[in-house]
Amino acid sequence: MTTMGAGMDGRTGRRRGALLAATVLAAVLALTGCGAGDSGARDTAGSAAEAPAANGGGADKDSAAGAPEAGGAGAPDLRVDQRAIIYTGTMRVQVDDVDAAAREVAAAVTRSGGFIGGDQRRSAEADAVAELQLRVPAAKFAGVVEEIAKLGKQESREISTQDVTEETIDLDARITSQRARVDSARRLLARATSITDLVSLENELGRREADLASLEAKKRRLADLTALSTITVSLAGPAAKSTEEKTETGFLVGLKGGWKAFVASLTVLLTVLGALLPWLVALGVPVAVLLLVLRRRKKAPALVAPVSAPPPVPAARSAP
């Protein structure tokens, strides 16, 4: 009995051990499978997330890189150094010697690569004034202005700019379009078969070529103004009056102006009278003498006595 009980207990123990081992193995497999599933899910989700991110990042980079290129291709380059700007300056400088200062201004303009477009001077004393019109390259505009200001005492300066970039771009587009129209008219003219078509196409071609020439002239004018800036310089002597005059009003100012006008009118009248006086003397004296002679002739007495009328004859009486 003891042996049988021991054998039963051994078999029961083995069964329990096998069952426990199977349970542990099933649990290990289950845990392993869950871990693998979670890892696979995480890997799949990560891959799925990384792929759109990679694709989206690449797309964003491409779009970001392509945006400036698209903008640069579709729109003109309007940076400050690429804009078409017309510079215009006016300044007045008081100097001790106007002629010497004018020579220094001419030398400065020549060094900058420009030229003098106009030169007007009046007087040669201390009140002398010289007005110079300078054309200098736009890149040297500021430097030339500063160099001229150092020649003496700067009394005034006025600088203005005009941006003609859009106008220049518009002219370029219109010129390109007009050239295409001219080429088209020339091709049609070459294929004309009748006199009517030939005359009509020649007239149309002439109009298109005239429009093209006008646009090209405007473009050259803008190019000249943007390439060479204009500076009008007034060099004044120490005794020259300033151009800035204050506007005065009041009774005394009006009286002074009226007196000046009266004196000016009287001066003009006396000038005219002085110019006419020689003519009056040359023509008036002979005319006066002639009138005097005629008047004396009319007043002279008659030399022959007047003839008296014969006495009346009495009428004859009839016989009684």
Side-chain angles (χ1 to χ4, degrees):
M1 292 294 292
T2 303
T3 303
M4 290 178 61
M8 292 177 64
D9 291 339
R11 286 195 297 272
T12 302
R14 285 195 296 272
R15 290 195 189 100
R16 289 179 179 176
L19 181 61
L20 180 59
T23 303
V24 171
L25 181 59
V28 170
L29 291 176
L31 291 175
T32 304
C34 292
D38 293 339
S39 177
R42 285 194 299 267
D43 293 341
T44 303
S47 300
E50 290 176 0
N55 294 333
D60 292 341
K61 292 180 181 179
D62 292 341
S63 60
E69 294 178 358
D77 188 0
L78 299 181
R79 294 177 298 174
V80 175
D81 57 345
Q82 297 295 330
R83 302 189 73 87
I85 300 177
I86 300 175
Y87 294 92
T88 305
T90 303
M91 57 190 308
R92 181 184 175 90
V93 182
Q94 187 178 28
V95 296
D96 296 332
D97 190 344
V98 173
D99 291 335
R103 288 192 294 269
E104 293 183 10
V105 170
V109 173
T110 303
R111 286 194 302 269
S112 67
F115 61 91
I116 298 179
D119 187 345
Q120 296 181 358
R121 307 186 189 188
R122 56 180 180 271
S123 182
E125 305 298 331
D127 60 345
V129 176
E131 294 183 357
L132 307 177
Q133 187 176 20
L134 315 178
R135 300 298 306 278
V136 298
K140 305 293 184 62
F141 178 83
V144 173
V145 169
E146 294 298 333
E147 188 172 354
I148 294 174
K150 296 178 181 178
L151 295 178
K153 179 182 178 182
Q154 181 178 256
E155 295 182 350
S156 64
R157 178 193 295 190
E158 183 178 354
I159 296 176
S160 60
T161 60
Q162 181 182 1
D163 192 345
V164 293
T165 306
E166 284 74 12
E167 186 175 355
T168 303
I169 295 173
D170 179 66
L171 275 177
D172 290 337
R174 293 172 62 185
I175 288 173
T176 302
S177 176
Q178 193 65 24
R179 284 175 179 170
R181 295 185 63 195
V182 170
D183 294 339
S184 176
R186 287 174 178 172
R187 288 193 297 269
L188 292 175
L189 181 62
R191 294 197 298 267
T193 56
S194 63
I195 300 297
T196 303
D197 294 342
L198 184 63
V199 173
S200 177
L201 289 173
E202 284 181 347
N203 294 333
E204 181 64 23
L205 178 59
R207 286 193 296 270
R208 294 184 180 185
E209 288 178 343
D211 293 341
L212 177 59
S214 176
L215 293 174
E216 290 177 342
K218 291 181 180 179
K219 178 64 182 301
R220 287 192 298 269
R221 175 62 177 168
L222 281 180
D224 176 69
L225 292 175
T226 53
L228 293 175
S229 302
T230 303
I231 307 175
T232 303
V233 181
S234 296
L235 301 174
K241 295 182 179 180
S242 176
T243 55
E244 298 179 357
E245 297 181 355
K246 296 182 179 179
T247 303
E248 299 180 356
T249 57
F251 175 76
L252 295 178
V253 176
L255 182 61
K256 185 178 179 180
W259 177 254
K260 288 183 178 180
F262 173 74
V263 172
S265 302
L266 185 60
T267 302
V268 173
L269 181 61
L270 293 176
T271 302
V272 174
L273 183 59
L276 294 178
L277 186 59
W279 296 93
L280 294 176
V281 173
L283 298 177
V285 172
V287 171
V289 172
L290 180 61
L291 291 177
L292 183 60
V293 170
L294 293 177
R295 184 176 297 178
R296 286 182 178 180
R297 284 185 178 180
K298 289 181 180 179
K299 291 182 179 180
L303 298 177
V304 181
V307 179
S308 59
V313 179
R317 291 183 179 181
S318 62

